[in-house]
Amino acid sequence: MAETITAADGPRLIGQLKEQGLLPDSCRCVYAAGSLVRGWGNATSDLDLYVVTDDPFVWEGEADFHPVSLEPDRVGVAVPQFGALRGDVEYWTTGQFDQLMAKISWEEYRSGRDTGATVSQIERDCLVKLQHAVALDGADWLAERRQQFADSAFGRTIAARSLDLADTFAEDALGQLGSGDPESALLTAKLAFGYAADALLAHHGEYGTTAKWRSKKYRAAAPTVLPFERYWEIETMRTYDPEDPGRWIEDVIGCVRRVSMEVEV
């Protein structure tokens, strides 16, 4: 188990950023996020840090960038060492955060546009990590953004998009099963179930961008419509019978349908 990062680590980490020339003279906020903040880290976990400035920060030395559908259209990334921990430091501007919040506003959601499709994976990761972020500097700025996020339509957007995909794959799985293709139906049913689980998590305020932390988030959310034990039974295919794949697939699709009835979109 790796160490858990808290606000008390702020002076040390801020100092190390400065020593490596990776902290601008003026910034709105520096915060830590990700698995090491939630206490889920391990020996190979990266330390995720976010540095927020009014203007784009350019540092000397090696740099990488993540493309985003914002203005500016890229986010700087540095990968320094913090003692034994490998860092992943992203540099965002306040303007980019303004644009992100506009994308997940209730106005956008109610417009009927597929707002989920306009938020890239990098942008979604940034938003999800806000929820449990810890300020190392600029706590007021972070608190304001976290409240904006909590008041946004992000959860409803993720739930709606995940449910739509779950329903689509569920129908496909039944069609494949009916046509005598149980192997394809099995794989498609697993996809449907994964999206249904993500929708249920979003309904309970736990947002996933990949399956990597789904079990952890599921335990934290503790939904009653599909308790963890039942979820894990399906996720691990514990009751799957190769001699009767149709029964398992139809059972999984039934769970997907129950989740669809539970989640509000």
Side-chain angles (χ1 to χ4, degrees):
M1 180 70 70
E3 63 178 303
T4 298
I5 300 299
T6 69
D9 294 298
R12 172 176 63 86
L13 295 173
I14 292 288
Q16 290 178 340
L17 282 173
K18 287 180 178 178
E19 289 172 3
Q20 299 181 63
L22 295 174
L23 192 70
D25 293 333
S26 176
C27 60
R28 289 294 191 95
C29 185
V30 180
Y31 64 88
S35 61
L36 289 174
V37 169
R38 294 201 74 173
W40 295 350
N42 55 61
T44 64
S45 295
D46 289 345
L47 171 55
D48 297 327
L49 297 183
Y50 289 77
V51 178
V52 185
T53 56
D54 287 329
D55 299 309
F57 174 57
V58 180
W59 62 95
E60 295 182 3
E62 189 173 344
D64 196 3
F65 298 92
H66 291 323
V68 291
S69 52
L70 304 167
E71 181 58 43
D73 62 359
R74 62 184 189 172
V75 170
V77 183
V79 287
Q81 285 293 132
F82 296 98
L85 293 175
R86 178 182 182 273
D88 188 294
V89 187
E90 295 188 10
Y91 295 85
W92 292 73
T93 68
T94 51
Q96 287 173 324
F97 269 96
D98 289 339
Q99 294 167 64
L100 270 183
M101 293 301 167
K103 282 186 178 186
I104 61 173
S105 68
W106 284 102
E107 180 181 5
E108 279 295 302
Y109 180 78
R110 291 174 178 136
S111 71
R113 290 186 285 269
D114 186 2
T115 54
T118 69
V119 181
S120 70
Q121 184 67 44
I122 296 300
E123 295 163 19
R124 194 175 297 116
D125 284 344
C126 177
L127 288 166
V128 167
K129 288 176 180 176
L130 267 179
Q131 195 177 17
H132 299 281
V134 170
L136 306 181
D137 187 36
D140 289 344
W141 185 92
L142 180 60
E144 181 180 342
R145 288 303 190 183
R146 286 182 63 174
Q147 189 59 53
Q148 276 187 290
F149 177 74
D151 294 339
S152 75
F154 181 78
R156 192 72 66 86
T157 298
I158 294 297
R161 185 166 177 77
S162 296
L163 272 188
D164 183 59
L165 289 167
D167 289 342
T168 297
F169 282 122
E171 289 299 322
D172 287 346
L174 291 175
Q176 290 168 327
L177 186 62
S179 69
D181 186 3
E183 293 174 346
S184 295
L186 173 73
L187 297 177
T188 306
K190 282 177 62 66
L191 287 171
F193 181 72
Y195 282 115
D198 287 344
L200 188 57
L201 289 177
H203 180 65
H204 287 274
E206 285 285 349
Y207 311 116
T209 58
T210 67
K212 177 180 176 181
W213 295 112
R214 188 182 288 151
S215 64
K216 288 277 194 183
K217 291 175 183 287
Y218 211 97
R219 283 194 183 278
T224 57
V225 67
L226 188 66
F228 182 85
E229 292 72 19
R230 177 61 172 145
Y231 153 75
W232 195 239
E233 178 184 284
I234 297 173
E235 189 75 84
T236 58
M237 300 182 67
R238 189 178 304 159
T239 59
Y240 172 68
D241 180 3
E243 300 300 320
D244 189 12
R247 182 175 180 179
W248 187 87
I249 292 166
E250 290 173 352
D251 191 25
V252 171
I253 299 304
C255 287
V256 172
R257 297 277 163 74
R258 287 197 294 278
V259 169
S260 296
M261 293 176 63
E262 173 75 10
V263 176
E264 181 181 6
V265 294

